[in-house]
Amino acid sequence: MSDEENALGFAYSGWAQCALPLKKLASDARWEIATDRVRLVVEPGLRLASGSIDGPMEHVGVPYGAHARLILLYLQTEALRTGRREVELGTSLRDWLSRIGISYGGTTGRSVRDQAERISRCRLTFHIQGEGSTSALVNQAIVDKALFIGGVERGTQGQLSLETAQLSEGFFEALKKHPIPLEEAAIRALNNNPAALDCYIWLAYRLHVLRSDRLVTWAALKKQFGGSYRELFHFKPRFIQSLELAAAVYPGANIEVVAEGVVLKPSVSPVRKQIAAK
């Protein structure tokens, strides 16, 4: 876990409470998940099926898996680093993926292009229950402008190369108000495990602000993280494995797995030293 550059990543706090699917859904299926305070709805976008402006449209499908999460982390981190909504992809994204251990090319390259297009075309809503009131990012796209470069493989997912993307104003403002700092070294260690990435972001969001122990029941955990599992007994052992991986890259995480669920205990921030030094 030694990281010579002490690099940081950032994520919007909403992702710590409701995450994208772990696995591929039907192209026209929407993703919906809700906890006690947050509800996330992701609707798949559309693209021209034949490349002709007057031709039929087809659903792209919602983003899913590890590569979608990594691309989103890159977009959010770069936007906060530069203070600009427009983020360059292309070589910059490939360099960042290489730095966190993702070799861009072949099947991986096609997967990254596919997930980038899914992210650029989907629309999402974060419904957030506040104190006595409800606020939401209604029908909010993550990206509101993108540049696609040709050299296409027609009839396949990820048929265009996404070179630049501009975060929507609403999403960018929410990100600036509610960012979660993350260790890039931790992201690198979990780069092929979307469930463990979700757990790490969740722990990074919850633990350092706690003032006392907090029990999160298995029922609540399944509601937040177990959308891909039908039964609790299927979800529980998989979640424990993901939690153990997340805790391994967050040494300061003070948690305990008990019969009723997981006890979260006050802990230092995963990036406390870097933040204090700035």
Side-chain angles (χ1 to χ4, degrees):
M1 286 301 300
S2 175
D3 185 13
E4 294 180 357
E5 296 181 356
N6 290 327
L8 300 182
F10 291 90
Y12 169 53
S13 62
W15 297 120
Q17 302 168 75
C18 289
L20 294 171
L22 300 176
K23 298 180 180 179
K24 185 178 182 178
L25 307 180
S27 294
D28 61 349
R30 75 176 187 177
W31 172 252
E32 188 168 342
I33 191 167
T35 63
D36 292 339
R37 298 285 299 275
V38 179
R39 182 172 186 163
L40 170 66
V41 180
V42 186
E43 299 174 280
L46 293 166
R47 68 178 169 204
L48 293 169
S50 64
S52 173
I53 197 68
D54 58 353
M57 302 291 288
E58 64 182 3
H59 284 98
V60 177
V62 301
Y64 67 91
H67 289 160
R69 286 159 171 78
L70 295 175
I71 294 167
L72 280 168
L73 285 172
Y74 171 78
L75 288 172
Q76 293 166 105
T77 299
E78 281 297 290
L80 286 182
R81 184 183 69 83
T82 63
R84 298 172 61 242
R85 289 196 289 138
E86 186 166 291
V87 177
E88 292 197 14
L89 302 176
T91 301
S92 297
L93 173 59
R94 289 192 288 272
D95 289 346
W96 184 80
L97 289 173
S98 177
R99 199 165 74 235
I100 63 167
I102 300 295
S103 178
Y104 191 94
T107 301
T108 299
R110 288 192 292 272
S111 173
V112 169
R113 289 193 296 273
D114 175 31
Q115 296 303 324
E117 184 174 4
R118 289 168 182 259
I119 289 168
S120 71
R121 296 189 187 276
C122 76
R123 297 189 69 81
L124 65 87
T125 306
F126 272 111
H127 296 279
I128 302 172
Q129 181 67 50
E131 296 295 332
S133 63
T134 300
S135 60
L137 299 177
V138 180
N139 294 328
Q140 182 65 62
I142 301 174
V143 171
D144 66 9
K145 185 171 69 174
L147 174 62
F148 294 95
I149 306 299
V152 301
E153 302 172 57
R154 293 300 175 192
T156 64
Q157 291 280 359
Q159 57 189 244
L160 298 175
S161 175
L162 182 60
E163 293 297 312
T164 63
Q166 180 173 282
L167 296 185
S168 65
E169 186 173 359
F171 184 75
F172 184 53
E173 290 301 316
L175 172 64
K176 289 193 295 183
K177 290 178 182 177
H178 306 287
I180 309 171
L182 307 168
E183 288 273 10
E184 189 175 284
I187 297 168
R188 181 168 63 244
L190 304 176
N191 64 20
N192 66 345
N193 193 317
L197 279 169
D198 290 344
C199 283
Y200 172 66
I201 293 172
W202 177 60
L203 294 177
Y205 172 68
R206 291 292 305 273
L207 293 181
H208 73 99
V209 298
L210 290 176
R211 296 184 178 276
S212 60
D213 293 1
R214 181 73 57 85
L215 171 68
V216 185
T217 66
W218 289 116
L221 289 167
K222 184 180 183 302
K223 193 174 183 181
Q224 178 172 348
F225 296 102
S228 301
Y229 298 92
R230 184 180 298 274
E231 302 293 343
L232 179 61
F233 65 83
H234 291 141
F235 162 74
K236 187 175 175 180
R238 297 291 182 87
F239 179 77
I240 292 174
Q241 291 176 359
S242 299
L243 191 66
E244 289 173 346
L245 290 172
V249 300
Y250 182 175
N254 193 2
I255 58 177
E256 182 181 2
V257 177
V258 296
E260 297 85 1
V262 175
V263 179
L264 305 179
K265 303 179 181 183
S267 307
V268 297
S269 167
V271 297
R272 179 176 59 89
K273 291 182 180 180
Q274 288 86 340
I275 291 177
K278 290 186 177 181

